[in-house]
Amino acid sequence: MADPQAISDDSSEEAEEDEEEARRIREGFIVDEDEDEEEDDDEARHRRRKRRKRRHRRRDEEEALEDDDLELLEENTGTSFRNRLTRLRRGPEGGSPPAPSTSKRKPIVESSEDDLDDEDLPQVQDIQRIWDDERAGGGRDDEEDMDDFIDYEDEDEGAGAMDEQEREERRRERKKRERERRKAIGSRPELAGIDDMAWDEIHGVFGDGHDYDWALLGDDEMDFEEERLKPEMRYQDVFEPSEIRARMLTEDDDLIRAQDIPERMQLATSSISQSSTLSLHQNLTEADLDDAAMWVTVRLSPRKTRDFFSPEGPYNMYREPLVMAVTYALRFLFIQEFEVPYIWTHKRDFISYFNPQEMRTRVQLISLAELWRIYALGQKYRSLAQRKNALALSYARLNVEDEYFEQTIRPKIDSVEVVTDATEWLTMSYKLKKQDAFDFQFHDDEDQAEIRKRKAPSRISAYEVAKKSIVSKLADGFGIKPREVVYNFVAQENAHFVDDQELNPIAFAEQFTDPDAAVAQPAEELLRRARMILATELGKDPLLRQAMRDLFKTDALISVLPTERGMAKIDEHHPYFNFKYLHHKNITQMMDTPQFLHILAAEAELLVTVSTFLTNEAKSKFERRLNDAFASDSYSDTARAWNEERSRVVQEALEQHLIPVGVKWAREWLREEVEDTLAAHCGNVLRERIDVAPYITPEMKPGDTASVLAVSWGKGDPQKDAITLVFLDEAGRLREHIKIDNLVDREYQDEFTDLLKRRHPDVIVVGGLSMATTKLSSKVRSLVNGEPPKSDPTANGVTDGWGPSEPPREANEQAFNIPVMYVRDEVARMYQHSKRATEEFSALSPVAKYCVGLARYVQSPLNEYSALGHDITAIPLEDEDQHLIPKEKLLLALERTLVDVTNKVGVDINRAVNDPYYQHLLPFVCGLGPRKAQVLVKKISAMGGNLINRDQFIKSSLLTTKIFLNAAGFLRISRDPEAKLSKNRHADDDVQDPLDDTRIHPEDYELARKMATDALELDEEDIHDEHPSHVVSVIMQDVDNEKKLNELNLDEFAVSMYEANEDRKRHTLNVIREELLKPFSEQRAPFPSLGPWDVLTMLSGETPRTLRMGLIVSIMVVRLEQTLVHIRLDSGIEGVIDIGYLTEDGNIAPKEVVKKGQTIPGVIVDVKLDLPADEFFVKVSVRQSDLRAGDGLFRSVKRDDQWNLPQFERDLEMQARKKRAEIDRTRRVVKHPNFHNFNATQAENYLDKQQRGDVVIRPSSKGVDHLAVTWKVDDKLYQHIDVTEINTGQGGNLLIVDEKHQYADLDELIVNHVQATARKVEELMAHEKFKHGSEDELHLFLKNFVAANPAKSIYGFTLNRRKPGHFNLCFLANKNSTVQTWPVRVMPESYCLFDAAVAGVPELCDAFKVR
């Protein structure tokens, strides 16, 4: 008989038994009359159940499900476990079945996995279905039968203690009871024919479904444990980080939303930037304000400094009030954290001249632009203060007392550059004192855990070597310390004098020579090293460096010279020609123009070289001052010799240290200043476009919104494009959208006029993407005005693209008093293809969406530009220069303009909550931003989407305190005209306040009520029982309110308030008076109309620079007449050629000279622009005499006034000689498929479309014994190889490259040199450390990596753009170091890192790491 344990517990042993044993095992699963097999089966089942029950009891004791556990499971899974976890109880042994329950339990088969812990429940699906069928037919009795069935199985647990006879009796008794129950229940129709024996056999064969629970139990428990221990799902686990960032759901975003600080003040960049980052700065304190105010004031602007601080300045008497105003502004901005619009609107009295004795003297000390400038400078000072504190801590850690540092250097630290210099100076002076004293930690550095640091590469400079040697004693012999020299220089008087030596320098230096002749250095060398020590210490001094920077700031000169490539590429028509030979232009003359940015762009393209230097006079003056501070006053020969040595020190300090520092700083400083100026200019251009009121007709009142009909013909193709009309009502809702084929057919004209009658638009705007729009505009005007269509002055009975015209109508058949106009469409062009347009109007065509954009622009230019978000940088504000501004800097300038204008206008908060389009204005409200506006809208929506008064912002916790103070005056709550104020003074929670619909800040409500009370001449008793703002309502509705308010003496009122509590409210009182008269009155300029050139540029792209008299353009003949030729330019502008401009004779018929459809060159004679008549055309001449002269004079770029004419003429002559030599030289012919008679530029153009590694062999300009081989390294990168041909004298030539590689013929050279080199290049470019792009991009990648991983170093390869075919290896050792660049030369057989040649890339990496 088989081992029961083998049967039940280890199925893997079955394969090891013999066939007889296997047969007996199989038979053991079948219940038959064999008592031994039945006994073994029962015993095995008994042991299994006993083990399982013990395991279940232990787990039930350890992991009993409490109510809290059940609630947690239900919360996480969404499923109820209360009823499903009810366990079946075992009935009494031998007793009757339990009484029926009135509750309807779920069938057992629906039990949860927890129910399966009990062995009583069946699991096998077939058996479950059988019992389900029985329960379905028998109701609750069948359930009891099932319970008994389970209980009987449980009774077998005690069978192990019985003998065989007792067990057999028990089994027979059980079967008998089952037969009796089935008989009482009655047979089921679907189971008819199944007798008791069959049931017994089924049960005996299949069991109760629990026989193999022991095998599945472990898996079930494991699955449950995994499910239970699985972490809670978060959105970070589902969405991409970029998506989380776009939806503003990062931890930083949550922090920004939660902090009671204006959102824009928490960010380091613009709030509408896609990469806006949190600024973890330290705020200024009251103790910092005085220093900060002086630091900021002198940097506001040169004009401000001249007017207020110059003795002869017109505002010199207001110098102290200006500093005080800046102090107030800094306090509001950086301590109280108020944004600029709040200060400008509600605290302007603190930044204006305020004198109670001179109330009529009005001087605006700080303008709005200067207030933003103060904010920017305050941020820089805050960063400076933090770095100064870090420097002070580092100095304290040194545990030294340096009088020069404490009394001379530290008080003069006024810039980040000086902090850096002071840090470097301390490092140099006390490096041996404490190596780790300069581990600075700024706010943007990540906290570093204690980690094992790698050994940093050790580099000891020549200065350190000399300083540790005897040479330092020789340097001391110069008689004065470098710091004393600097002190003399700064003080401009010699407070420290030189101790003269008795010996001359050579004799004195010989005292320090090494007695060992083998290692001794000559006295001259020792003197040189001593001079190097002194020059280094002078060159590293922070005060000298700052003096040099100040000198460069005023006296630096900039010169430009073209490279060899630039000489060929920059011709007289190239935009860079303006500065191609710029010569000695003063840096101050480049501050207000974008020229320097163009120079840097040209330098990046390797077209020019830029040099920055001092004027000879300024340099000599600085050198003379430094020599005077260093020299001895004695007149002896020895003193003169030492003075010569000191003069050499000064010269070395200038050339090796001070001037290079000044050059580097001047470039970066000028670039920053020009970028800031250009960004501010773009902001001003944007202000001109958005600081305008919506369009209104003369009949409308300011503040009203016009209904708009927008019309567009798209690209104006009559065969493809229909005319699209979109109507928006006063609320900006799309009410109608139709398309018509043309405006010529009577049917379509009637449809158009019916639309006008039906909708009565206030204005019609016309827009389009081509010059055909002018014809559409003309048609619309004629239909609206009821005029017969004008005959085209350029036509002669020919249609204009819409097919045959209808019979002319009578004049004034029907006329509408509706203006027709063009408007700017750059925003509409962007909107038609935007994601926002698809979400709002998915069913509209792109042209219809374009029309929606046009109409919205007319209704609110501010809203349209605000809705652009970060795409606003794509709007052309400064066509030729805008791309030179870094995007983040441009975004910041444009955002500030949007913030200014939005707060000037105000935002209706209830409309913003319910109108997604208008909601785009909310982030620009003072104190808010995209994140805070988002959460504010959600909170108000949860309250019902409507606010009654401004008090709810605080009482309903919608805004925190500082945000409320910033935003409250700009968030208006429109008042219901029918609403009446409650008479209960304290019932203001749910009633409207008329002041909430004004620009008056809640902190000034009492002031406004007081003013209204005084204007109405009421007493407190008169309004005691009224709402506090009742008097405001009365004065607003008073017909004589203007007279009553103007009679108030606001100056006297302001003085009394100042004397009472020093509160400055003079400007605020003016604001209150204006708001009581006209709440939220329109303060913007009227909607502007476009000029003729604006319309022409919008429709054709032509500008006065590209379309002017004298330019030669390409024209196409459209049609011919007897005396006229109608033509069209490439831009779509139409024109004419008079017969007199066709030929020299002037009397030849046009058809004899040109043909329809012909394209010819022509000279523009005149440009005619007539906007009211929608006529834009040019007159052109095609006479040869006019064309022969060309248009170079008109197209050439003007030279800068500072032009290096001699160098320009020399280069012209040299280029002419080269050209002549090339023409005179006999063209060489080489029989090879890759040979071409190309020059370098032609070879590059030829290879531009070829694959990498392709080769061109061409003649060389070096002579007939040279060849040039050009091969393509990468896109726009080509290597030119000079090949020398040597006649071997044996009838063959030898080709030599680099004097190292020799080849017998061109094929061998291509295969073994060019292609081998190309393979090396490809191998390195395929390496994981190679980065595509420029070297600057690789530097940025390295810095970002080290910033994210401060404990690591990083390196990478990039192509050397200056030496094609070679690479640069760039590495960054740690976050405090600078990026180092090492050259990697590529040879056909190896890579060369300096002098080390290696065979492959892994070896190259190893060589770098070892080095």
Side-chain angles (χ1 to χ4, degrees):
M1 183 173 289
D3 185 2
Q5 186 70 26
I7 296 173
S8 61
D9 290 342
D10 193 358
S11 60
S12 64
E13 295 181 7
E14 293 177 3
E16 301 176 6
E17 304 292 343
D18 56 18
E19 293 183 3
E20 179 64 18
E21 189 71 16
R23 182 185 61 78
R24 295 175 61 189
I25 290 172
R26 286 194 299 270
E27 291 174 351
F29 284 98
I30 303 174
V31 180
D32 55 21
E33 299 301 325
D34 189 339
E35 297 296 334
D36 295 334
E37 290 178 334
E38 209 170 88
E39 178 182 355
D40 291 341
D41 190 37
D42 292 338
E43 290 177 358
R45 185 181 299 118
H46 166 70
R47 285 195 297 272
R48 286 198 302 273
R49 287 191 181 135
K50 198 165 185 179
R51 282 197 305 272
R52 191 164 62 246
K53 287 182 70 64
R54 282 198 301 269
R55 188 159 56 245
H56 288 173
R57 277 196 299 271
R58 284 196 303 270
R59 198 178 72 177
D60 289 343
E61 291 171 1
E62 295 171 2
E63 298 181 14
L65 291 176
E66 301 291 339
D67 288 343
D68 292 344
D69 298 326
L70 293 176
E71 290 174 1
L72 184 61
L73 282 173
E74 290 172 357
E75 179 182 349
N76 287 332
T77 62
T79 307
S80 175
F81 290 87
R82 297 287 179 176
N83 296 328
R84 298 178 62 183
L85 294 173
T86 303
R87 303 189 183 277
L88 296 173
R89 300 299 180 185
R90 184 178 298 116
E93 223 177 283
S96 60
S101 172
T102 57
S103 64
K104 293 186 177 180
R105 284 188 308 172
K106 294 184 178 180
I108 296 176
V109 294
E110 295 181 7
S111 299
S112 68
E113 292 183 3
D114 288 340
D115 293 324
L116 303 182
D117 293 345
D118 201 326
E119 72 279 9
D120 300 337
L121 304 180
Q123 277 298 298
V124 180
Q125 293 183 1
D126 291 338
I127 298 298
Q128 288 174 347
R129 283 197 292 268
I130 293 174
W131 303 140
D132 285 349
D133 291 340
E134 243 184 273
R135 282 197 296 273
R140 173 61 191 155
D141 293 334
D142 289 335
E143 291 184 19
E144 292 173 0
D145 184 41
M146 186 61 194
D147 293 340
D148 288 340
F149 173 76
I150 297 169
D151 290 340
Y152 298 149
E153 292 291 358
D154 292 342
E155 290 172 5
D156 285 350
E157 290 184 19
M162 304 179 187
D163 58 17
E164 182 58 29
Q165 184 175 358
E166 290 175 343
R167 192 182 299 112
E168 178 61 20
E169 289 178 358
R170 176 76 61 83
R171 189 181 296 113
R172 288 176 180 173
E173 182 179 357
R174 185 190 63 198
K175 291 180 180 180
K176 182 178 179 181
R177 288 203 303 269
E178 288 175 0
R179 283 196 295 270
E180 290 175 353
R181 277 198 300 273
R182 290 195 184 107
K183 185 175 181 181
I185 292 172
S187 62
R188 293 170 54 178
E190 61 271 26
L191 299 179
I194 302 180
D195 56 14
D196 293 342
M197 294 302 294
W199 277 117
D200 292 339
E201 289 180 8
I202 290 173
H203 184 266
V205 171
F206 296 106
D208 59 3
H210 285 276
D211 290 340
Y212 300 101
D213 281 357
W214 59 272
L216 300 174
L217 187 61
D219 291 341
D220 294 340
E221 291 178 348
M222 189 179 301
D223 291 343
F224 178 76
E225 286 296 319
E226 291 178 357
E227 190 69 27
R228 189 171 65 86
L229 297 176
K230 188 181 294 185
E232 182 181 354
M233 185 68 70
R234 304 179 305 164
Y235 61 82
Q236 289 92 338
D237 303 322
V238 178
F239 297 105
E240 291 288 334
S242 58
E243 183 73 13
I244 295 174
R245 191 180 185 88
R247 294 175 180 271
M248 297 182 293
L249 294 173
T250 64
E251 293 181 358
D252 284 352
D253 294 324
D254 295 337
L255 182 62
I256 291 170
R257 274 187 283 266
Q259 290 191 120
D260 186 20
I261 303 173
E263 181 168 333
R264 277 174 286 274
M265 287 186 168
Q266 298 185 55
L267 297 173
T269 54
S270 167
S271 66
I272 56 178
S273 170
Q274 289 181 304
S275 57
S276 56
T277 54
L278 189 64
S279 174
L280 301 177
H281 54 262
Q282 295 177 356
N283 267 344
L284 297 179
T285 62
E286 284 287 345
D288 299 325
L289 282 184
D290 291 339
D291 292 339
M294 282 305 303
W295 190 89
V296 169
T297 304
V298 298
R299 288 168 175 78
L300 270 178
S301 68
R303 183 188 61 82
K304 210 77 173 177
T305 303
R306 184 177 63 252
D307 291 349
F308 284 82
F309 291 92
S310 174
E312 61 275 6
Y315 300 106
N316 180 261
M317 69 287 294
Y318 300 115
R319 182 176 64 252
E320 291 184 4
L322 174 64
V323 176
M324 185 59 63
V326 173
T327 305
Y328 276 119
L330 291 172
R331 179 180 290 110
F332 290 140
L333 287 165
F334 295 101
I335 297 180
Q336 299 180 17
E337 294 175 322
F338 293 136
E339 281 205 90
V340 168
Y342 172 86
I343 301 171
W344 180 250
T345 306
H346 304 297
K347 299 293 183 183
R348 198 181 303 185
D349 291 295
F350 290 88
I351 59 173
S352 300
Y353 180 68
F354 187 92
N355 188 340
Q357 283 74 39
E358 302 177 27
M359 289 303 296
R360 298 203 174 271
T361 304
R362 305 287 171 84
V363 179
Q364 184 175 292
L365 300 175
I366 298 173
S367 66
L368 178 58
E370 288 168 342
L371 195 54
W372 280 112
R373 173 78 174 157
I374 290 173
Y375 179 52
L377 289 172
Q379 289 176 312
K380 291 182 179 180
Y381 183 84
R382 186 172 60 190
S383 178
L384 169 63
Q386 186 173 351
R387 281 162 171 76
K388 285 173 67 175
N389 293 337
L391 176 63
L393 290 174
S394 299
Y395 175 71
R397 286 201 296 268
L398 288 172
N399 291 323
V400 297
E401 291 186 4
D402 191 315
E403 182 180 354
Y404 176 67
F405 176 80
E406 293 178 359
Q407 298 184 5
T408 306
I409 294 180
R410 181 183 284 177
K412 295 183 181 296
I413 295 179
D414 63 351
S415 68
V416 174
E417 291 83 10
V418 180
V419 172
T420 305
D421 293 339
T423 303
E424 191 175 348
W425 184 84
L426 282 176
T427 304
M428 178 190 71
S429 302
Y430 299 102
K431 186 173 183 180
L432 300 178
K433 175 75 177 176
K434 201 164 187 179
Q435 292 284 351
D436 58 346
F438 300 94
D439 293 335
F440 288 167
Q441 184 100 6
F442 296 117
H443 66 84
D444 50 356
D445 294 338
E446 296 180 0
D447 293 335
Q448 298 183 28
E450 289 296 328
I451 56 176
R452 182 180 178 183
K453 294 185 178 180
R454 298 182 179 181
K455 183 179 179 181
S458 176
R459 282 194 172 184
I460 301 177
S461 65
Y463 165 80
E464 292 174 271
V465 173
K467 191 70 174 174
K468 294 177 183 177
S469 68
I470 194 68
V471 178
S472 63
K473 298 292 184 182
L474 175 57
D476 294 340
F478 275 68
I480 187 172
K481 295 180 180 179
R483 59 179 61 185
E484 295 173 345
V485 174
V486 177
Y487 187 90
N488 290 342
F489 176 86
V490 173
Q492 296 190 6
E493 61 179 5
N494 288 356
H496 300 277
F497 297 94
V498 177
D499 294 334
D500 292 319
Q501 295 289 343
E502 296 180 357
L503 299 175
N504 64 46
I506 297 295
F508 185 77
E510 287 175 348
Q511 299 178 359
F512 297 92
T513 56
D514 197 300
D516 186 356
V519 296
Q521 292 179 329
E524 290 81 0
E525 176 63 18
L526 293 176
L527 271 176
R528 185 195 66 78
R529 296 178 65 194
R531 289 197 302 269
M532 183 266 295
I533 290 177
L534 294 173
T536 301
E537 293 181 358
L538 283 175
K540 298 281 188 181
D541 190 279
L543 301 185
L544 267 188
R545 286 188 168 189
Q546 183 59 32
M548 181 57 68
R549 281 191 288 265
D550 292 339
L551 191 61
F552 265 88
K553 192 173 182 178
T554 56
D555 295 316
L557 300 178
I558 293 176
S559 291
V560 178
L561 282 176
T563 61
E564 187 174 349
R565 180 182 176 191
M567 278 192 284
K569 189 169 183 179
I570 303 177
D571 59 14
E572 291 185 350
H573 303 147
H574 197 285
Y576 294 163
F577 184 75
N578 168 260
F579 53 79
K580 183 178 181 179
Y581 288 94
L582 189 70
H583 186 62
H584 290 191
K585 187 167 184 177
N586 193 282
I587 195 171
T588 56
Q589 298 175 354
M590 308 186 76
M591 299 285 293
D592 298 326
T593 69
Q595 186 186 55
F596 188 68
L597 297 182
H598 287 285
I599 291 174
L600 294 180
E603 185 184 42
E605 297 174 31
L606 307 181
L607 297 178
V608 299
T609 58
V610 186
S611 54
T612 307
F613 48 89
L614 289 172
T615 62
N616 291 331
E617 182 183 355
K619 181 180 176 183
S620 299
K621 184 178 179 181
F622 188 93
E623 187 174 353
R624 190 164 53 251
R625 279 184 59 197
L626 195 53
N627 274 322
D628 291 344
F630 200 1
S632 168
D633 294 335
S634 179
Y635 294 100
S636 66
D637 293 341
T638 301
R640 282 199 297 270
W642 277 106
N643 281 344
E644 289 179 5
E645 292 296 324
R646 296 184 186 105
S647 178
R648 292 180 184 176
V649 171
V650 169
Q651 193 170 1
E652 183 177 347
L654 283 173
E655 299 297 334
Q656 300 296 326
H657 299 281
L658 296 176
I659 289 180
V661 165
V663 168
K664 183 178 180 182
W665 174 85
R667 281 172 57 101
E668 287 304 306
W669 173 77
L670 181 57
R671 181 182 61 81
E672 287 278 343
E673 291 294 318
V674 175
E675 284 176 353
D676 290 341
T677 301
L678 196 53
H681 174 67
C682 290
N684 291 334
V685 174
L686 177 64
R687 189 184 302 274
E688 293 174 1
R689 297 189 185 180
I690 65 174
D691 195 10
V692 295
Y695 177 84
I696 57 173
T697 62
E699 297 79 19
M700 299 172 65
K701 296 183 297 183
D704 291 345
T705 304
S707 58
V708 185
L709 176 64
V711 186
S712 178
W713 194 14
K715 294 182 178 179
D717 187 340
Q719 307 300 325
K720 297 180 181 177
D721 300 320
I723 299 174
T724 302
L725 300 98
V726 169
F727 175 77
L728 265 62
D729 65 10
E730 294 83 355
R733 295 186 292 264
L734 176 64
R735 290 302 190 186
E736 193 155 350
H737 161 232
I738 61 173
K739 287 184 179 181
I740 56 179
D741 287 344
N742 58 63
L743 283 176
V744 175
D745 295 346
R746 180 64 62 87
E747 173 188 352
Y748 297 124
Q749 291 179 353
D750 291 341
E751 187 173 354
F752 176 73
T753 54
D754 287 344
L755 176 63
L756 298 182
K757 294 175 183 176
R758 187 168 61 253
R759 292 298 183 181
H760 301 289
D762 295 318
V763 63
I764 300 174
V765 294
V766 181
L769 310 178
S770 72
M771 287 302 298
T773 305
T774 59
K775 297 179 181 179
L776 172 65
S777 176
S778 178
K779 294 285 185 184
V780 171
R781 290 179 199 274
S782 63
L783 289 173
V784 170
N785 297 329
E787 302 169 357
K790 296 189 299 286
S791 60
D792 191 341
T794 66
N796 186 15
V798 182
T799 63
D800 51 10
W802 271 316
S805 60
E806 290 285 331
R809 293 186 173 191
E810 294 297 327
N812 297 322
E813 180 178 329
Q814 50 184 353
F816 302 89
N817 185 24
I818 303 174
V820 180
M821 61 188 299
Y822 293 99
V823 294
R824 293 188 179 277
D825 71 342
E826 62 261 21
V827 181
R829 290 186 185 226
M830 293 181 62
Y831 177 74
Q832 65 176 328
H833 301 298
S834 68
K835 181 181 178 183
R836 182 165 58 91
T838 304
E839 292 172 350
E840 291 181 323
F841 305 103
S842 58
L844 296 187
S845 65
V847 177
K849 295 173 186 173
Y850 169 81
C851 290
V852 171
L854 288 177
R856 281 180 166 179
Y857 178 82
V858 173
Q859 293 184 332
S860 177
L862 172 62
N863 211 153
E864 269 299 274
Y865 277 92
S866 300
L868 288 174
H870 63 270
D871 291 332
I872 196 172
T873 54
I875 297 293
L877 301 168
E878 187 65 37
D879 292 338
E880 298 179 359
D881 310 318
Q882 185 172 331
H883 67 282
L884 299 171
I885 312 172
K887 187 174 181 181
E888 291 299 328
K889 188 170 288 187
L890 179 60
L891 267 177
L892 203 58
L894 300 183
E895 181 192 33
R896 286 174 177 176
T897 300
L898 290 169
V899 168
D900 283 343
V901 180
T902 300
N903 290 282
K904 181 178 180 180
V905 176
V907 175
D908 187 331
I909 185 62
N910 289 327
R911 180 183 170 191
V913 171
N914 298 291
D915 184 350
Y917 171 65
Y918 184 74
Q919 199 176 105
H920 288 109
L921 292 173
L922 196 56
F924 299 105
V925 170
C926 184
L928 300 181
R931 298 158 188 82
K932 289 186 180 291
Q934 182 188 64
V935 72
L936 176 62
V937 169
K938 288 182 179 178
K939 287 181 178 179
I940 297 177
S941 299
M943 293 172 52
N946 192 60
L947 294 183
I948 305 299
N949 52 47
R950 285 173 175 169
D951 291 342
Q952 289 180 275
F953 286 120
I954 291 296
K955 294 181 178 179
S956 300
S957 301
L958 300 177
L959 295 176
T960 50
T961 304
K962 285 182 182 176
I963 307 305
F964 173 77
L965 290 175
N966 273 280
F970 309 108
L971 294 175
R972 62 185 299 187
I973 299 178
S974 297
R975 186 183 177 195
D976 184 358
E978 299 180 359
K980 294 184 179 180
L981 291 178
S982 171
K983 290 198 173 185
N984 185 353
R985 291 183 59 87
H986 305 288
D988 56 354
D989 290 345
D990 55 352
V991 297
Q992 291 186 332
D993 191 325
L995 292 175
D996 291 340
D997 196 16
T998 67
R999 292 186 175 93
I1000 303 170
H1001 197 278
E1003 63 186 1
D1004 296 323
Y1005 277 8
E1006 288 302 323
L1007 203 55
R1009 292 161 182 161
K1010 170 67 174 170
M1011 185 182 294
T1013 304
D1014 291 348
L1016 293 171
E1017 299 180 353
L1018 297 175
D1019 295 329
E1020 288 289 335
E1021 293 78 9
D1022 300 332
I1023 56 173
H1024 179 71
D1025 294 329
E1026 301 289 348
H1027 187 278
S1029 294
H1030 173 71
V1031 288
V1032 175
S1033 299
V1034 174
I1035 193 66
M1036 284 182 173
Q1037 298 167 7
D1038 195 313
V1039 292
D1040 293 330
N1041 55 7
E1042 185 171 359
K1043 178 183 176 182
K1044 293 179 179 179
L1045 287 169
N1046 287 335
E1047 288 176 351
L1048 296 176
N1049 190 338
L1050 298 186
D1051 289 338
E1052 184 180 337
F1053 193 14
V1055 170
S1056 64
M1057 291 184 63
Y1058 180 77
E1059 292 173 350
N1061 52 17
E1062 294 190 356
D1063 204 359
R1064 303 182 181 189
K1065 292 289 184 180
R1066 182 64 187 85
H1067 175 264
T1068 303
L1069 292 175
N1070 281 339
V1071 171
I1072 293 173
R1073 179 172 59 188
E1074 294 301 320
E1075 289 301 309
L1076 292 178
L1077 292 173
K1078 297 178 181 178
F1080 270 105
S1081 60
E1082 184 58 72
Q1083 299 178 352
R1084 294 172 289 179
F1087 191 87
S1089 58
L1090 297 184
W1093 274 110
D1094 295 326
V1095 175
L1096 186 65
T1097 302
M1098 180 177 70
L1099 298 180
S1100 68
E1102 299 282 8
T1103 65
R1105 189 174 60 85
T1106 63
L1107 192 72
R1108 54 181 169 153
M1109 189 175 67
L1111 295 183
I1112 297 178
V1113 294
S1114 176
I1115 59 177
M1116 186 179 72
V1117 178
V1118 178
R1119 61 180 178 270
L1120 305 174
E1121 295 182 12
Q1122 288 186 352
T1123 60
L1124 278 181
V1125 177
H1126 296 271
I1127 54 98
R1128 183 182 297 124
L1129 276 61
D1130 291 339
S1131 57
I1133 298 175
E1134 295 185 348
V1136 295
I1137 306 174
D1138 290 329
I1139 192 170
Y1141 287 108
L1142 270 177
T1143 60
E1144 306 296 336
D1145 297 336
N1147 56 3
I1148 302 177
K1151 63 182 179 180
E1152 302 294 334
V1153 182
V1154 294
K1155 297 179 181 179
K1156 182 179 178 180
Q1158 183 179 356
T1159 301
I1160 54 176
V1163 179
I1164 298 176
V1165 177
D1166 195 9
V1167 180
K1168 298 289 186 180
L1169 306 180
D1170 187 354
L1171 183 57
D1174 289 302
E1175 292 179 0
F1176 303 85
F1177 69 97
V1178 294
K1179 289 185 176 181
V1180 179
S1181 170
V1182 294
R1183 293 184 305 197
Q1184 290 302 313
S1185 58
D1186 295 332
L1187 292 171
R1188 197 176 300 121
D1191 62 352
L1193 183 63
F1194 299 95
R1195 291 190 182 274
S1196 59
V1197 177
K1198 183 184 177 182
R1199 305 173 185 175
D1200 192 275
D1201 294 337
Q1202 303 290 330
W1203 187 261
N1204 192 347
L1205 186 60
Q1207 184 66 43
F1208 172 59
E1209 292 176 345
R1210 283 196 298 270
D1211 286 351
L1212 275 182
E1213 179 61 28
M1214 184 183 67
Q1215 285 180 297
R1217 281 202 309 268
K1218 280 186 177 180
K1219 219 172 250 186
R1220 286 195 299 270
E1222 188 175 336
I1223 294 173
D1224 296 341
R1225 187 173 64 243
T1226 304
R1227 288 192 175 276
R1228 184 175 179 188
V1229 177
V1230 176
K1231 292 183 179 180
H1232 192 277
N1234 289 342
F1235 180 83
H1236 299 276
N1237 264 312
F1238 288 160
N1239 58 27
T1241 303
Q1242 292 170 330
E1244 291 181 0
N1245 293 337
Y1246 173 80
L1247 290 172
D1248 186 43
K1249 299 179 181 179
Q1250 308 297 320
Q1251 301 295 321
R1252 287 195 304 201
D1254 284 358
V1255 182
V1256 164
I1257 303 170
R1258 57 185 179 83
S1260 173
S1261 60
K1262 294 185 177 181
V1264 294
D1265 59 342
H1266 286 260
L1267 282 174
V1269 176
T1270 302
W1271 68 280
K1272 185 174 182 179
V1273 180
D1274 199 7
D1275 291 339
K1276 306 298 180 183
L1277 195 63
Y1278 311 91
Q1279 185 182 47
H1280 302 281
I1281 302 173
D1282 179 40
V1283 181
T1284 305
E1285 290 185 277
I1286 298 179
N1287 194 333
T1288 60
Q1290 301 175 358
N1293 290 342
L1294 197 60
L1295 304 179
I1296 299 177
V1297 180
D1298 296 335
E1299 299 180 357
K1300 298 179 182 178
H1301 303 88
Q1302 299 181 357
Y1303 305 99
D1305 54 32
L1306 289 172
D1307 289 329
E1308 183 183 358
L1309 183 145
I1310 290 173
V1311 173
N1312 293 337
H1313 191 94
V1314 178
Q1315 293 183 0
T1317 304
R1319 282 194 295 273
K1320 289 289 183 185
V1321 171
E1322 291 283 353
E1323 181 183 354
L1324 187 47
M1325 289 177 69
H1327 194 262
E1328 62 179 2
K1329 291 293 184 181
F1330 177 80
K1331 300 296 179 186
H1332 291 277
S1334 65
E1335 185 176 340
D1336 290 339
E1337 293 173 354
L1338 176 58
H1339 286 194
L1340 182 61
F1341 168 78
L1342 299 180
K1343 292 175 182 176
N1344 290 339
F1345 178 88
V1346 172
N1349 306 273
K1352 295 184 179 180
S1353 57
I1354 182 68
Y1355 70 96
F1357 299 95
T1358 188
L1359 286 167
N1360 188 335
R1361 296 277 166 183
R1362 296 179 182 272
K1363 293 183 178 180
H1366 299 313
F1367 291 83
N1368 283 336
L1369 191 161
C1370 304
F1371 64 93
L1372 190 58
N1374 54 62
K1375 68 173 184 176
N1376 295 321
S1377 62
T1378 58
V1379 179
Q1380 302 291 325
T1381 300
W1382 289 355
V1384 177
R1385 290 180 293 120
V1386 182
M1387 309 295 288
E1389 67 282 349
S1390 64
Y1391 303 100
C1392 294
L1393 182 65
F1394 295 106
D1395 297 329
V1398 293
V1401 179
E1403 293 82 357
L1404 175 63
C1405 297
D1406 293 340
F1408 159 69
K1409 295 173 183 176
V1410 170
R1411 191 174 184 89

